Every structure is written in C-alpha cells, then in structure tokens.
Amino acid sequence: MFTTLWVFGLLTISYSMFKIHSIMKSEREAQLRAIETEIHDIIENPHDISKAEIADPDRLDALEYRLGQIRATSEYPTTFTMWTQIGISVLLPQILQMALQATV
C-alpha cells in the first residue's frame, strides 16, 4: 500500500512539474513573438538593411533589452535547493520504509 501511494505521489509531482514547464515555455514563446512583432513594427522597411529606418530608437533599445532578458530566462526555473527538496521528498519515504522492513 505504501509503495502505491509513493508512486502516486511521485507521479503527481512529476505531472505538476511538467505542467509548470509547459506553461512557462508557451508563455515565454508568446512574449518573444510579441516583442519581435513590436520590433518589426518600429523598424520601417526591416527587410532591406540599407533602407531600414528606426522610428523610435529609445523604444527599440528597451525592447531589445527585454528580448535579451526573456531569452536568457530559463523555461524551468529550479534551483539546487528545490531539486534537493524534491529529491529528499521522493527518496526519504522509500528509504524509511526499507529501513522499517529491515528491522521487522
């Protein structure tokens, strides 16, 4: 019974982490597309570099900065501490069960 509950807990943790990753990935892609569209709108005639004109250079700089920030952002924001907590919460119950079975 305990192992079944442990596997169920492991599956729910895995599923929630997968959902967070997919939501963040789709949100990141949507933000990148929106900023790239804004940049495309600011530059007049963007496909011909010799004739391209920038309507608002300050806004373009701000958008390029935001674009860089979003591209540098991970789609899966975890830290070592978070992975350690997940590892402990996954392994500790199983280790305790095995220790109890060995003593009985």
Side-chain angles (χ1 to χ4, degrees):
M1 178 70 170
F2 179 80
T3 303
T4 304
L5 292 174
W6 179 78
V7 169
F8 177 74
L10 183 63
L11 290 174
T12 56
I13 288 171
S14 300
Y15 177 74
S16 64
M17 292 173 71
F18 171 75
K19 285 302 282 183
I20 288 172
H21 171 69
S22 20
I23 289 168
M24 288 188 70
K25 183 177 181 179
S26 64
E27 183 65 27
R28 180 176 182 250
E29 289 171 358
Q31 288 293 321
L32 286 173
R33 279 192 304 273
I35 291 173
E36 287 171 353
T37 301
E38 283 185 60
I39 289 173
H40 190 271
D41 292 342
I42 288 174
I43 301 173
E44 296 173 18
N45 201 4
H47 301 293
D48 187 2
I49 195 69
S50 62
K51 296 179 183 177
E53 293 182 24
I54 300 171
D56 188 358
D58 292 334
R59 184 163 178 234
L60 179 63
D61 289 341
L63 287 172
E64 286 177 342
Y65 176 77
R66 280 182 48 208
L67 188 65
Q69 291 293 316
I70 292 172
R71 283 187 176 150
T73 302
S74 172
E75 294 171 356
Y76 204 73
T78 56
T79 61
F80 177 76
T81 304
M82 186 177 188
W83 280 115
T84 303
Q85 290 172 344
I86 291 169
I88 289 171
S89 67
V90 167
L91 296 177
L92 187 62
Q94 202 64 8
I95 291 170
L96 290 175
Q97 181 193 15
M98 293 168 97
L100 288 174
Q101 285 179 348
T103 60
V104 174

